[in-house]
Amino acid sequence: QPTNTFAPIMTIAVNTRFLLNDYLEGYGYFTYETFGRITAAHPGHEFIFIFDRPYDKRFVFGPNVKLVVTGPPARHPLLWKFWYDIKVPAVLRKYKADVFVSCDGFCSLATKVPQCLVVHDLAFLHYPSFIKRSHLSFYKKNTLKFLKKAISLATVSEFSKKDIATVYKIDADKIDVVYSAAKEIFCPANDEEKAATKNKYTGGKEYFVYAGAIHPRKNLMNLLKAFSVFKKRMQSNMKLVLAGRLAWKYESFTESLKSYKYRDDVILTGYVSEDELVKIIGSAYGLVYPSLLEGFGVPVLEAMQCDVPVISSVASSMQEIAGEAALYAKPDDHTDIADKMMLLYKDEKLRNELIRKGRLVVKNYSWDKTAALLWQSILKAVQ
């Protein structure tokens, strides 16, 4: 809701170091979508966006947004510490900020300004081998300090809320669930678009899609094993499209692909534009998202918005978010993933039922809702 004109005017500083010119992922998407809405809904407040490098003009969301660059680019632990504890507090003092909002799980330990911190998940704790050692050390050393320092905490699912509260003994009342969402741009493809996309990527063949980074936590080795079982048993010309950039530790995966029996049926797109991703997901037979741990799992909703049925993991938040509108497999059991792929392939009635249920699920999530809930969490920090 728009701010009452008589409400006290606040200065809200926001960590926007993940609003990157070249691509938006994860934290960047979350910050972009929520603060695009929050700044528009609350024109009576001033927003200071704090960047660690030059920014793109598209991030000037309105006349109440001021963009400030304070380097150096904070891209490894020593510079994180310097940026959050020395550079950020200086900006907060200069602009007399009433609150500092950080959507990447890090906050400043060196300011008295109240802070609202968004923590998406605790993947680094549950899967420590999937994160760089220097990063892991920083997370382990500082996460509890961050959680205690912040006045209010927000996260994206009840699963993550429970995880944070249990692992770090944080009062659950301090943690608000604000959810996440898929962009409105994700919508069903028409027959012409589907044909063109299949011709471009799979020689006109049907395909399963995985959307997201090529990263160990996403469990793609088990997806390849599952696809092998599926191909052997079904004798199908179905392809597998992996739509996403090559992220950390991708080398062992691309190396494995070289000797993979069905490598000609696996397509790696690399990083694709959002418009292209909408077409790739929207033209798929089904999305397979076997991630080991997710705070929310946005690609699951993106597929449902495109009328594409979903196979996901029994682990973490995906069951909470998708409910009865998806099939679930044990992420560490490739035969279980394959069974679900075969089930979806053979049962057209089930496939249509999942699409119908998916349409209902997506109505529960929107960036408008997330932005409104995050705003409440920000207010909680300054009250």
Side-chain angles (χ1 to χ4, degrees):
Q1 294 300 309
T3 305
N4 183 316
T5 49
F6 298 104
I9 291 181
M10 285 193 296
T11 298
I12 297 157
V14 186
N15 165 16
T16 48
R17 73 185 184 96
F18 280 94
L19 290 184
L20 299 171
N21 302 348
D22 43 1
Y23 64 84
L24 284 173
E25 283 186 334
Y27 302 147
Y29 267 139
F30 186 90
T31 306
Y32 182 83
E33 293 294 337
T34 52
F35 279 93
R37 288 163 172 79
I38 287 171
T39 53
H42 303 283
H45 297 303
E46 182 182 35
F47 293 83
I48 309 295
F49 283 8
I50 309 175
F51 290 84
D52 65 350
R53 62 188 61 205
Y55 55 81
D56 193 282
K57 294 282 192 292
R58 70 191 161 122
F59 302 134
V60 184
F61 294 139
N64 58 335
V65 178
K66 184 173 281 183
L67 282 66
V68 176
V69 178
T70 182
R75 284 297 176 270
H76 62 74
L78 276 177
L79 288 174
W80 291 342
K81 185 92 184 123
F82 180 66
W83 196 74
Y84 285 91
D85 288 355
I86 291 169
K87 303 299 288 213
V88 167
V91 176
L92 301 182
R93 280 194 302 274
K94 181 178 177 182
Y95 292 96
K96 297 183 173 60
D98 294 294
V99 62
F100 176 55
V101 188
S102 186
C103 298
D104 64 1
F106 296 174
C107 68
S108 175
L109 298 174
T111 181
K112 290 185 174 146
V113 173
Q115 295 178 76
C116 171
L117 179 64
V118 183
V119 181
H120 293 255
D121 59 54
L122 299 180
F124 74 92
L125 266 188
H126 300 295
Y127 294 97
S129 63
F130 297 163
I131 184 169
K132 288 178 187 169
R133 200 169 294 167
S134 61
H135 292 197
L136 179 64
S137 163
F138 181 89
Y139 276 100
K140 283 190 164 175
K141 188 176 168 188
N142 292 290
T143 297
L144 180 58
K145 294 177 191 171
F146 294 151
L147 295 172
K148 287 188 166 174
K149 178 75 173 172
I151 303 294
S152 69
L153 299 169
T155 192
V156 291
S157 60
E158 291 292 343
F159 168 84
S160 280
K161 173 175 176 168
K162 188 178 175 190
D163 203 19
I164 294 162
T166 306
V167 171
Y168 286 107
K169 310 286 187 283
I170 300 291
D171 182 354
D173 290 343
K174 184 176 174 176
I175 310 168
D176 303 312
V177 178
V178 300
Y179 301 105
S180 191
K183 291 193 169 180
E184 287 157 14
I185 188 173
F186 287 90
C187 59
N190 61 39
D191 290 345
E192 202 175 305
E193 287 167 335
K194 286 180 183 177
T197 303
K198 285 174 198 166
N199 285 335
K200 181 173 180 179
Y201 290 99
T202 62
K205 306 289 191 297
E206 289 278 13
Y207 61 89
F208 285 111
V209 69
Y210 158 82
I214 309 300
H215 182 283
R217 177 155 63 101
K218 304 303 184 179
N219 200 28
L220 299 180
M221 292 303 292
N222 270 336
L223 176 54
L224 286 188
K225 289 176 188 172
F227 188 57
S228 280
V229 174
F230 173 87
K231 292 288 282 185
K232 269 185 212 138
R233 299 233 185 116
M234 295 292 100
Q235 298 294 305
S236 156
N237 60 11
M238 184 78 78
K239 307 276 186 183
L240 176 64
V241 174
L242 307 176
R245 69 184 175 89
L246 297 171
W248 186 69
K249 273 193 175 176
Y250 69 85
E251 295 91 346
S252 62
F253 178 77
T254 49
E255 202 56 39
S256 303
L257 260 184
K258 289 177 187 172
S259 57
Y260 181 62
K261 184 179 178 185
Y262 298 102
R263 62 188 173 278
D264 294 339
D265 293 318
V266 178
I267 296 93
L268 270 69
T269 66
Y271 185 81
V272 291
S273 71
E274 206 170 66
D275 291 345
E276 195 63 16
L277 185 61
V278 172
K279 290 177 193 165
I280 293 168
I281 291 178
S283 306
Y285 187 82
L287 173 92
V288 190
Y289 195 70
S291 181
L292 294 167
L293 187 140
E294 295 290 324
F296 187 84
V298 170
V300 167
L301 279 193
E302 289 172 346
M304 288 179 174
Q305 276 184 203
C306 293
D307 280 354
V308 171
V310 171
I311 298 166
S312 193
S313 303
V314 292
S316 69
S317 64
M318 273 88 75
Q319 281 180 291
E320 173 194 334
I321 301 307
E324 293 179 6
L327 296 177
Y328 300 100
K330 297 184 191 110
D332 56 353
D333 182 351
H334 71 271
T335 54
D336 193 16
I337 300 169
D339 285 344
K340 299 306 185 289
M341 292 168 82
M342 290 186 282
L343 185 59
L344 195 63
Y345 181 70
K346 291 187 290 193
D347 193 337
E348 195 65 26
K349 189 180 169 196
L350 170 69
R351 188 170 177 274
N352 290 329
E353 188 67 5
L354 290 173
I355 291 169
R356 186 186 66 76
K357 287 178 177 174
R359 287 176 192 150
L360 300 176
V361 163
V362 295
K363 290 178 180 173
N364 297 326
Y365 305 98
S366 73
W367 282 116
D368 288 343
K369 178 179 178 178
T370 295
L373 289 169
L374 181 58
W375 177 250
Q376 293 306 315
S377 203
I378 294 167
L379 294 181
K380 194 162 133 184
V382 286
Q383 279 162 0

